Amino acid sequence: MTKRTRNHDHVAVAVVGAGPVGLTAALDLRHHGISAELFDQDVTVCEGSRAIAWAQRTLEIFDRLGVGKRVRNEGTTWKTGKVFWKEDLVYEFDLQQDPHFEFPAFVNMPQHQVERVLIERLAETNAPPIRFIHRLSALDVEDGLTRLTFETPSGPSVWTCDYLLAADGARSTIRKLSRLGFQGRNFEDKFLIADVRMQAEFPTERWFWFDPPFNPGRSALLHRQPDNIFRIDLQLGPSADPDVERQPERVTSRVRAMLGPDRVFELDWVSVYSFQCRRLERFRHGSTFFIGDSAHQISPFGGRGGNSGIQDVDNLVWKLALVIAGKAPDALLDSYDVERRAAADENMLITTRSTDFISPRDQTDLAFRDAVLELSAKHAFARGMVNSGRLSRPTPYRQSSLNLAPDLDQADAIQPGTPCPDAPVQRQDGSRGWLLSEFNAVFTIVIFADGSRGLLAHAREVVSMLARETGLKINLLPIHIGQPGACGLGDTEGLVCRRLGGKPGRVIVIRPDQHVAAVLGTCDGQAIRRALMAATGHQ
């Protein structure tokens, strides 16, 4: 709840920036019952499609917040792609050969539509209205509180907060006011984005060209979006003049060369960009947390920018909720910085390699790339070396201090730090469900039942005791191999056991962000307690 003081308003958490990352943060804070206000300097959602490719893990996070199915249903689902070299198809790929997941590998939906979905969901939760046209002009820390001054049409507006989430993007005002800089690499190459509206029978796939005849010596990308919009991305080279390349007649000429002289289309949105692979040295600065592009800027190849920002939120908010509630020490918040910096480093490394393959730096690199492409047309072993953008996948936190190290006997199970994969389950009423939807954003103790009533009775007693001792909300989730038992879920297709390494009596402790905290051979109350203490920063 917002508190009014004599000179200003106060809120527990202030989120600055109402893009997809800031909106997701506001929605997740609302989900955890945390008082928050969301500020943005603009008056509406973003212009143009911007980020379009939302990965399976992001869709699962969205689903926890009540928007995953809407994004899936209103967006364009895809999982396959084609890679071309010059005029020839080199190979095809399938990102999700196993269909037994609730959400697809990717959904394409333009950023402005995703923002509208998130805004509508926020309104459904009765969250405070977004404070648009609030331009941050000053930031100070006094008496343990962060003081924010915004310029608005009606004059300055002053707020204080206990915690500040900087979701204000690549040109972050909070980062500038905090006098923080990036470390990493700038790329001089420039690219053209053209969102084109047209009627076309192209399949819903990702098409990527190396050195095509319509853009010789460079690359091109074609992607379908909803409403007959297609994303075209053309490499221009480092010497391109953005002002010239944005001119409609220039863009139309390039697009016509790609699509053919008879294709009828109209330009919906155009942008020219270059990019960086950079990040802040640290993502936590006292009570300020940088999330999304304000913390890290990643090459767009592979759709890792927006997706990693949503995963930043997923990592941070549950920790913030526990600390605010007094159920975890402040040190838990340091793990956000450690875990998400590691994720940013992985994404930067992967996308830098993609960029170097797409845009060879010299003739030696070009010769190597072309040799790989030539081999890939005939030999499957070479296709793993082709890099048109390694598509977004969640980062496991294998080295995190929040993990309880597994025993050697558990080596065949899913490893701590890994995001828990989804799988189909059967409920007691016979209906079909999905594993991740049963976790409810709290700590979940998954136990693979052995048919023994005594085991489940013991597990319920252990969880009840631990909930009392720790003050944590803990969900006990029995998994029965085959049909559901007297309580719990049935693993009728065997996919829960296969994906998690389940066997009778094994226990898996899941964090509120659905990452594995521990794998235990038995339902040992002391071992589960150690796992919960580690996962909440009690070292």
Side-chain angles (χ1 to χ4, degrees):
M1 179 181 297
T2 299
K3 298 179 181 178
R4 180 66 184 171
T5 70
R6 186 170 59 184
N7 298 315
H8 60 266
D9 291 299
H10 178 80
V11 69
V13 182
V15 182
V16 176
V21 173
L23 287 164
T24 301
L27 192 54
D28 206 3
L29 289 163
R30 187 73 177 171
H31 183 73
H32 284 277
I34 299 173
S35 174
E37 294 280 347
L38 177 58
F39 304 87
D40 195 271
Q41 66 181 6
D42 291 327
V43 71
T44 185
V45 297
C46 73
E47 177 186 6
S49 66
R50 299 180 182 263
I52 64 168
W54 307 98
Q56 182 184 69
R57 180 69 199 125
T58 297
L59 296 168
E60 291 166 350
I61 295 167
F62 281 165
D63 194 52
R64 176 172 62 78
L65 300 174
V67 297
K69 295 177 181 62
R70 180 173 171 186
V71 172
R72 179 193 62 194
N73 295 342
E74 295 182 13
T76 299
T77 294
W78 67 277
K79 66 187 184 72
T80 58
K82 292 183 171 71
V83 176
F84 300 87
W85 183 37
K86 301 184 186 298
E87 297 179 286
D88 299 324
L89 174 64
V90 176
Y91 70 95
E92 304 178 39
F93 61 83
D94 187 337
L95 296 170
Q96 195 178 52
Q97 297 182 24
D98 183 347
H100 296 96
F101 290 88
E102 183 173 16
F103 291 96
F106 278 91
V107 166
N108 283 357
M109 177 182 273
Q111 180 174 320
H112 61 83
Q113 290 187 22
V114 171
E115 290 179 7
R116 286 195 179 95
V117 168
L118 292 168
I119 288 171
E120 289 171 8
R121 178 59 182 156
L122 263 176
E124 291 170 1
T125 68
N126 295 316
I130 301 169
R131 297 184 182 275
F132 287 115
I133 326 180
H134 276 60
R135 184 179 64 83
L136 183 65
S137 59
L139 184 157
D140 303 285
V141 178
E142 53 184 43
D143 299 327
L145 298 178
T146 299
R147 182 183 180 91
L148 305 168
T149 302
F150 297 94
E151 300 300 326
T152 78
S154 57
S157 176
V158 179
W159 289 74
T160 58
C161 61
D162 299 312
Y163 296 96
L164 172 63
L165 306 192
D168 51 345
R171 298 181 177 87
S172 171
T173 300
I174 295 174
R175 194 178 62 240
K176 292 174 184 175
L177 293 173
S178 303
R179 298 181 180 178
L180 299 172
F182 278 123
Q183 56 186 20
R185 179 177 167 189
N186 293 316
F187 293 86
E188 296 181 358
D189 216 340
K190 297 180 180 66
F191 292 78
L192 169 72
I193 290 177
D195 279 354
V196 173
R197 187 182 302 275
M198 61 181 176
Q199 296 285 341
E201 298 305 318
F202 298 131
T204 307
E205 299 173 340
R206 180 185 191 264
W207 287 3
F208 192 97
W209 287 264
F210 292 96
D211 193 15
F214 54 83
N215 197 28
R218 299 193 172 93
S219 65
L221 175 71
L222 178 69
H223 244 201
R224 180 188 286 272
Q225 301 181 59
D227 304 320
N228 294 316
I229 299 290
F230 288 80
R231 162 66 57 85
I232 292 174
D233 203 320
L234 297 172
Q235 184 183 2
L236 301 176
S239 62
D241 183 333
D243 292 333
V244 172
E245 296 297 344
R246 274 192 291 264
Q247 295 174 2
E249 60 273 16
R250 181 83 164 185
V251 177
T252 298
S253 175
R254 288 189 179 278
V255 172
R256 198 170 300 286
M258 179 181 188
L259 300 177
D262 299 326
R263 178 71 61 185
V264 177
F265 65 87
E266 60 182 86
L267 300 180
D268 189 73
W269 179 68
V270 172
S271 180
V272 175
Y273 69 93
S274 56
F275 54 86
Q276 302 83 33
C277 281
R278 310 185 300 172
R279 68 165 175 82
L280 288 172
E281 182 179 0
R282 290 181 291 117
F283 294 175
R284 179 187 185 183
H285 289 263
S287 60
T288 299
F289 297 84
F290 291 86
I291 54 180
D293 287 351
S294 74
H296 46 73
Q297 296 173 17
I298 300 168
S299 160
F301 299 120
R304 291 173 178 267
N307 288 293
S308 65
I310 302 301
Q311 290 159 32
D312 289 347
V313 172
D314 191 48
N315 183 283
L316 174 61
V317 170
W318 69 271
K319 299 173 182 178
L320 202 56
L322 289 178
V323 172
I324 289 173
K327 296 178 182 179
D330 180 81
L332 177 62
L333 299 176
D334 290 333
S335 70
Y336 164 73
D337 176 63
V338 174
E339 292 180 343
R340 293 311 297 170
R341 273 194 291 118
D345 286 343
E346 178 180 275
N347 284 323
M348 288 165 58
L349 176 63
I350 290 170
T351 56
T352 295
R353 288 173 174 170
S354 297
T355 303
D356 288 342
F357 193 87
I358 292 167
S359 304
R361 288 178 286 184
D362 54 38
Q363 289 300 312
T364 301
D365 288 348
L366 177 61
F368 170 78
R369 189 198 72 180
D370 289 354
V372 168
L373 290 168
E374 185 174 3
L375 277 171
S376 297
K378 299 178 181 178
H379 303 287
F381 80 89
R383 292 168 191 166
M385 293 186 284
V386 175
N387 195 335
S388 65
R390 305 292 188 211
L391 290 155
S392 177
R393 298 178 63 84
T395 301
Y397 309 132
R398 293 197 179 94
Q399 304 304 315
S400 174
S401 63
L402 304 191
N403 298 339
L404 190 67
D407 298 330
L408 292 177
D409 291 344
Q410 317 310 323
D412 60 334
I414 189 170
Q415 294 301 293
T418 306
C420 183
D422 206 1
V425 293
Q426 185 174 323
R427 302 187 184 97
Q428 289 175 276
D429 63 4
S431 64
R432 179 186 173 94
W434 295 94
L435 179 65
L436 295 186
S437 65
E438 304 292 331
F439 289 172
N440 300 323
V442 299
F443 280 98
T444 298
I445 311 300
V446 174
I447 182 167
F448 289 90
D450 61 0
S452 165
R453 291 182 178 272
L455 174 62
L456 293 184
H458 173 64
R460 284 193 290 271
E461 183 178 324
V462 165
V463 168
S464 178
M465 174 192 68
L466 290 173
R468 290 194 304 271
E469 288 182 359
T470 63
L472 298 172
K473 294 181 180 179
I474 307 174
N475 177 31
L476 176 65
L477 190 62
I479 302 292
H480 297 265
I481 300 172
Q483 299 297 316
C487 64
L489 303 170
D491 183 22
T492 54
E493 299 179 46
L495 291 174
V496 180
C497 286
R498 186 188 311 168
R499 291 172 183 169
L500 274 66
K503 59 175 59 175
R506 178 167 281 170
V507 169
I508 299 178
V509 181
I510 308 291
R511 302 178 353 176
D513 61 357
Q514 302 176 346
H515 283 248
V516 175
V519 180
L520 307 169
T522 61
C523 187
D524 182 326
Q526 289 303 313
I528 296 174
R529 190 181 193 283
R530 287 196 301 273
L532 292 172
M533 290 298 97
T536 51
H538 291 87
Q539 298 296 326

